[in-house]
Structures are given as structure tokens and as C-alpha cells.
Amino acid sequence: MPIRTTAVPAGLLAVALAIAGCSNDATAAGPVDARARPPAAPDCPPASAPDPGNAKPRDDVPMATAAPKLPRKATYRIAFSQNASNNPWRLAETASMRAEARRLGYRLTVTDANNQQAKQIQDIKGLIAQHPDALFVAPITEQLGNVVAEATAAGIPVFLLDRDVDTSVAPPGKGYVTALLSDFVRQGRRAAWALARATGGRAKIIELEGTTGASPAIDRKKGFDAAITACPGMKVVVSQSGDFSRAGGQAVTETLLQSHPDVTAVYAHNDEMALGAIAAIREAGKVPGRDVKVVSIDGSHDALTAVQAGELYATVESNPRFGPVALPTLRQYAERGRVPVRRTLQDRLFDASNVARFIGRSY
Ligand code: AHR
């Protein structure tokens, strides 16, 4: 069974947030712009509730004990298998890993799978052959479990970044050391509550799913779909994958707006798809933010700009700046021989109430 939540230790989180240029006020989004709120349906409590924030950190996460050990060294030769470089989120993540490796004097090799699963498998096999001290993997889908287990079997400590794998194939703490992730189920729930506030709890929704089989797509759907059951007036009328891309979000929304012209809201599993949806809404002769409310997840610069323009109601943060969490985790593993098998990042929510404060630090 996958483990879904555990907090990043305060020290690591503080480092991460300092690098991101932000304070540790993960639930400080505050109330949304009250002027934009329609009257809340009495049978939809989230419509009049504040952002529920991050889940309470878990303190019962087991330690990684059965994965390959990492000898203590002055410097490390590490590798990072990135799944794509086709959006600002991925670029920010890679840049963060490079910057932190440079700061610590580690040698880092990065591969880019170009959003193709077969290429990522080949990339990882190539990296296994080079036998780095440690391997970071941002897996496209949960199906990457086999090749992750292969790296582990070759004696390489593997650290998962931002997406999980099938844990029945590569169990946490054994098939890989640890996974550093946001709480995707919680992100979906927070997006649902934001959309309830935006619509007063009455909405016909297009759900734009991320890449099929990717853990954030699975869990963001789970969290959102479960949360809106609290609101009988909110219904997902159609749900389809836009592959986490702007072009995908735009093309899917264009088509779905034709077959469902009465849609009043879009929930996108990431900002890029939301931005594509906003373009499609405009093309359909509707006003995004007025005729169709949009919420998403990530917190990119373009998304925060759309929040400022009133076209995107809110975006739940999914922080891509993993370097200052990932490399200290590696060092901790080398020094102490143990780290928790899961570290969960804390995320904010950006909306009209706080966007001006954060847009200058966005990616
Ligand atoms: O795995 C994290 C997700 O992957 C981000 O939300 C998305 O933008 C990226 O492609």
C-alpha cells in the first residue's frame, strides 16, 4: 500500500522555503476575494469555508532500512532522470536540482525523457550502467517501478522526486530509498474547496486529468472527486486527460465545450492545462473567470498572472524546487544510514487574496 503523507522535517522545509524565497506559512492563503464570491449553497459547506490547508503531518512513517546504503563522502556523483522539460514546472525542478548540486560541489548528470516512458526506461538503464553514487528519478507514470527496482538491485540508492511508482513492484524503503512528494490527494481536495467557493457550490465541471498513470493525476482526481461529494450541486460532467500540457488542455477543452456548452467550471490537474483551457474558453466566446470558473494546481508564474487577471480563480501550490530538500535528504541518508520512506512537501494556495505577495518569486 502506498504511504500518502508525512511531513518534510522542519529543517529541510525551512531550507527549501528559504531557497524558494518564501516563508513557512503553508496555510496562510487566507480568505479568497469576497467580491468574486457568489452566494454559497447551504448544502455545500466547502463553499463558505476557508482553504483547508495542508494535512496534519504524520509521525508514523517507517525508516528506509532495506535499500542500498550510501557511503559517507565529501562529494557525490549523482544522476537525475527527469521525465520532461516541456513546461515551466519541470524546468524549475531541474534548475533547482542543478543549483543545489552546484552549491554543494556534487557532480550531476541530468537526462530528459521528453515525456516518453520508453525513453525514460532507456535513460535509467543508461544511468545504471554509469553506476552513480545515487539516482534521482521523476517517473512519468507509476509503471516505472520495474526499472527503479532494477537500479536498486544494481546497488544504487534511488530517490523518487515529485511522482511515485507502483509500490507493489518497488516498495518504499526497499525498492527505492524514499519518495519526496506533495500530498496530491490533499491538493485535489483543496482545489475542490476553492472551486466550491468560486461557484457557490453549484457547478458543471470539466476535469482535465494529468498524464494517465502518473501518481499526481491519480491522486488529484481522487481528492477532488471525493471532496465534491459534499456538494450535491457540483458535478463533474466530463473528465479527460490533457497529459499535463498546455496544448493538451486547450485541445481537450475546445472539444468538450462543444459537446457540453453548459459547463460552468474547469478543474485542471496542473496550471499548464488550465492555461490551455482558459484559451479555449475565450475562443468559445466565453469569459474565463466569469462564465467559466477555473482552478488548478502548481503555482507557476503564468498561472499567477492569470489569477491577477481574474481568469484563474485559484491554484494550489505544488512546489517544484526540490533541490534544497532532495540533496540534504541524500546527505542525511549517507550520514545516518536512515531516512523516512516518504517526505511530504507543504503547499500554499494562491488566489486573489495573496497573489501580489508571491508572483515576484514564481517560476
Ligand atoms: O508531478 C508533478 C506534476 O508534474 C506537476 O503538477 C506538473 O505540472 C508536472 O508535469
Side-chain angles (χ1 to χ4, degrees):
M1 275 296 287
I3 292 171
R4 294 295 181 197
T5 46
T6 288
V8 173
L12 290 181
L13 182 64
V15 178
L17 292 172
I19 298 284
C22 306
S23 63
N24 184 6
D25 57 346
T27 56
V32 294
D33 183 1
R35 290 161 302 177
R37 281 198 211 175
D43 57 356
C44 174
S48 48
D51 169 37
N54 293 288
K56 196 168 161 283
R58 276 175 54 169
D59 53 13
D60 59 348
V61 180
M63 287 286 168
T65 49
K69 296 293 179 209
L70 180 61
R72 209 174 159 155
K73 292 186 182 179
T75 185
Y76 295 95
R77 200 168 51 83
I78 58 179
F80 175 32
S81 165
Q82 175 58 286
N83 63 43
S85 300
N86 59 351
N87 71 50
W89 197 99
R90 292 278 146 210
L91 295 175
E93 184 182 46
T94 303
S96 164
M97 289 294 284
R98 284 193 195 281
E100 188 66 4
R102 202 177 313 116
R103 194 181 72 78
L104 294 169
Y106 297 176
R107 239 174 73 203
L108 172 66
T109 303
V110 180
T111 56
D112 172 8
N114 204 17
N115 208 26
Q116 294 160 29
Q117 187 147 289
K119 170 147 181 7
Q120 188 163 33
I121 292 169
Q122 284 318 308
D123 286 350
I124 294 173
K125 284 180 186 285
L127 293 171
I128 294 172
Q130 295 171 24
H131 209 95
D133 292 320
L135 172 62
F136 292 89
V137 178
I140 293 185
T141 73
E142 295 200 347
Q143 287 174 17
L144 268 281
N146 282 315
V147 73
V148 162
E150 204 176 308
T152 297
I156 302 169
V158 179
F159 297 76
L160 299 187
L161 294 188
D162 86 71
R163 293 186 189 178
D164 209 346
V165 294
D166 180 347
T167 51
S168 67
V169 175
K174 192 172 169 205
Y176 61 86
V177 178
T178 184
L180 312 178
L181 308 170
S182 281
D183 181 345
F184 301 128
V185 174
R186 190 74 178 189
Q187 289 176 339
R189 177 184 168 84
R190 294 173 74 181
W193 283 45
L195 196 58
R197 289 194 295 278
T199 62
R202 293 173 211 86
K204 291 181 180 161
I205 306 161
I206 290 176
E207 181 170 355
L208 294 174
E209 298 176 27
T211 302
T212 306
S215 61
I218 296 166
D219 285 352
R220 287 171 184 171
K221 179 169 184 58
K222 213 181 275 173
F224 183 89
D225 291 358
I228 63 161
T229 60
C231 301
M234 292 179 75
K235 289 272 175 278
V236 174
V237 293
V238 57
S239 184
Q240 203 172 305
S241 174
D243 202 19
F244 277 134
S245 81
R246 195 179 293 209
Q250 180 163 353
V252 170
T253 308
E254 260 167 33
T255 307
L256 295 181
L257 281 178
Q258 282 168 22
S259 48
H260 300 83
D262 56 344
V263 150
T264 58
V266 171
Y267 162 47
H269 289 192
N270 80 344
D271 285 344
E272 283 298 291
M273 292 191 296
L275 294 161
I278 286 169
I281 293 164
R282 239 188 267 115
E283 264 172 39
K286 296 174 191 266
V287 178
R290 191 193 70 193
D291 303 329
V292 182
K293 305 281 187 196
V294 184
V295 296
S296 64
I297 296 170
D298 273 354
S300 69
H301 182 76
D302 286 357
L304 296 196
T305 304
V307 170
Q308 277 193 323
E311 296 187 321
L312 180 64
Y313 184 78
T315 175
V316 180
E317 183 183 34
S318 202
N319 191 344
R321 290 164 170 142
F322 276 86
V325 180
L327 297 193
T329 298
L330 172 148
R331 199 144 75 178
Q332 190 183 331
Y333 188 58
E335 284 169 4
R336 300 186 199 160
R338 49 200 265 125
V339 287
V341 300
R342 169 64 55 92
R343 285 189 158 152
T344 304
L345 277 72
Q346 305 281 291
D347 296 315
R348 300 177 183 79
L349 180 140
F350 304 118
D351 63 18
S353 72
N354 65 358
V355 65
R357 195 147 48 96
F358 292 106
I359 194 163
R361 309 163 199 177
S362 57
Y363 53 92

